[in-house]
């Protein structure tokens, strides 16, 4: 339960968010995906020719190997729905070897995030690496949110339970009023659900998930900050980037509130700034690439 002292800053933040939120839905059919490359902290070189839709800024290294070097193209034909649990416009599945890799996807969002996450997750295939999600949401709604996503996505989505395994083909959503952390064990990824202190006046906090992912997955992680007010997630995303992870933030044009993504971008934590509508293709392509070379800060 929240005390009055806990609710005060959150109520103030929600009022501010409501004042600056975009009330009109952004255009869902842009002419082309919008991707910006960070000018600082360039990602480690991966190849000499970037994919056409992820062209880097002049002088910066490409985000991933060329499309022709990958055995999988996320921009191929869209597969038909496989049933009531299949998301609309689902992609062809990834090769089996990627489902068994140590890759991990972590996402964080706040104001406007429930719809943004729905947009991204329903466009992903069913055998991606495991996904851990922190959405700032009241405890009474987190389970319903996860259950709704489960009916729409190509993979299983559920509210996280302390100690459970996080495996390929599964997305776990942090329960409202509880932090979500990930750990690497001999048996693979497992999650911890805890009611520790709030971070940035939030529980769950994106920063705690991201910092745990930096320790557990390091260069194997793919991490993104989506729409939301405040700075939660920026520090954790920077730690992930320094560990060799692929990192991104949602762009201003497609964000309901460009607060958390702006903080991550300005801190230099995000390698890429993406439109919401190019995000799913970006995640799929990142998952299909080998992780960057290991560093002293990143798990092997």
């Amino acid at each position: 339960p929240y005390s009055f002292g806990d609710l005060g800053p959150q109520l103030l933040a929600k009022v501010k968010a409501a004042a600056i939120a975009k009330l009109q839905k952004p255009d869902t059919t842009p002419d082309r995906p919008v991707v910006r490359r960070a000018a600082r902290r360039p990602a480690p070189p991966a190849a000499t020719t970037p994919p056409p839709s992820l062209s880097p800024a002049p002088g910066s290294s490409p985000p991933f190997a060329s499309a022709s070097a990958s055995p999988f193209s996320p921009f191929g034909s869209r597969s038909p729905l496989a049933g009531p649990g299949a998301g609309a416009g689902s992609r062809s599945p990834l090769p089996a070897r990627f489902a068994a890799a140590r890759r991990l996807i972590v996402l964080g969002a706040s104001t406007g995030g429930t719809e943004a996450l729905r947009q991204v997750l329903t466009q992903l295939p069913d055998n991606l690496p495991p996904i851990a999600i922190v959405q700032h949401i009241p405890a009474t709604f987190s389970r319903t949110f996860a259950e709704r996503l489960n009916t729409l996505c190509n993979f299983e989505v559920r509210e996280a339970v302390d100690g459970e395994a996080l495996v390929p083909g599964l997305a776990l959503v942090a329960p409202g009023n509880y932090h979500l952390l990930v750990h690497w064990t001999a048996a693979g990824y497992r999650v911890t659900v805890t009611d520790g202190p709030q971070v940035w006046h939030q529980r769950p906090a994106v920063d705690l998930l991201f910092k745990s992912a930096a320790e557990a997955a390091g260069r194997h992680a793919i991490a993104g900050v989506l729409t939301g007010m405040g700075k939660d997630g920026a520090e954790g995303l920077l730690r992930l980037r320094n560990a060799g992870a692929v990192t991104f933030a949602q762009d201003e044009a497609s964000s309901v509130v460009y607060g958390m993504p702006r903080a991550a971008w300005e801190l230099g934590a995000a390698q890429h700034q993406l439109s919401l509508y190019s995000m799913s293709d970006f995640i799929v392509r990142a998952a299909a690439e080998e992780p960057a070379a290991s560093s002293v800060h990143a798990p092997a």
Side-chain angles (χ1 to χ4, degrees), residues 70-99:
S70 172
F72 164 72
S73 173
F75 299 101
S77 60
R78 298 172 186 261
S79 61
L81 298 185
S90 58
R91 271 72 172 169
S92 301
L94 290 174
R97 71 185 183 92
F98 294 119

Side-chain angles (χ1 to χ4, degrees), residues 233-256:
E235 291 180 0
L237 196 69
L238 180 60
R239 189 172 297 186
L240 277 158
R241 182 172 188 180
N242 288 338
V246 175
T247 62
F248 63 89
Q250 188 173 346
D251 68 3
E252 183 173 9
S254 64
S255 294
V256 173

Side-chain angles (χ1 to χ4, degrees), residues 75-150:
F75 299 101
S77 60
R78 298 172 186 261
S79 61
L81 298 185
S90 58
R91 271 72 172 169
S92 301
L94 290 174
R97 71 185 183 92
F98 294 119
R102 194 172 164 179
R103 279 293 197 190
L104 173 70
I105 300 167
V106 286
L107 303 172
S110 186
T111 312
T114 55
E115 180 59 22
L117 286 166
R118 182 203 63 78
Q119 169 74 25
V120 173
L121 295 173
T122 57
Q123 297 298 309
L124 295 175
D126 63 357
N127 62 343
L128 275 177
I131 304 173
I133 300 164
V134 163
Q135 164 69 48
H136 296 164
I137 195 170
T140 51
F141 297 110
S142 56
R143 177 169 294 182
T144 302
F145 173 57
E147 290 173 348
R148 177 172 177 263
L149 286 176
N150 189 57

Side-chain angles (χ1 to χ4, degrees), residues 183-253:
H183 307 279
W184 178 255
T185 71
Y189 290 110
R190 288 194 175 273
V191 300
T192 295
V193 175
T194 176
D195 61 352
Q198 294 185 358
V199 176
W200 299 110
H201 306 297
Q202 300 293 338
R203 189 172 55 233
V206 180
D207 259 333
L208 291 189
L209 171 63
F210 282 5
K211 289 176 180 179
S212 71
E215 293 294 325
R219 66 192 180 93
H220 302 277
I222 301 164
V225 174
L226 280 66
T227 176
M229 184 174 181
K231 298 181 178 181
D232 187 21
E235 291 180 0
L237 196 69
L238 180 60
R239 189 172 297 186
L240 277 158
R241 182 172 188 180
N242 288 338
V246 175
T247 62
F248 63 89
Q250 188 173 346
D251 68 3
E252 183 173 9

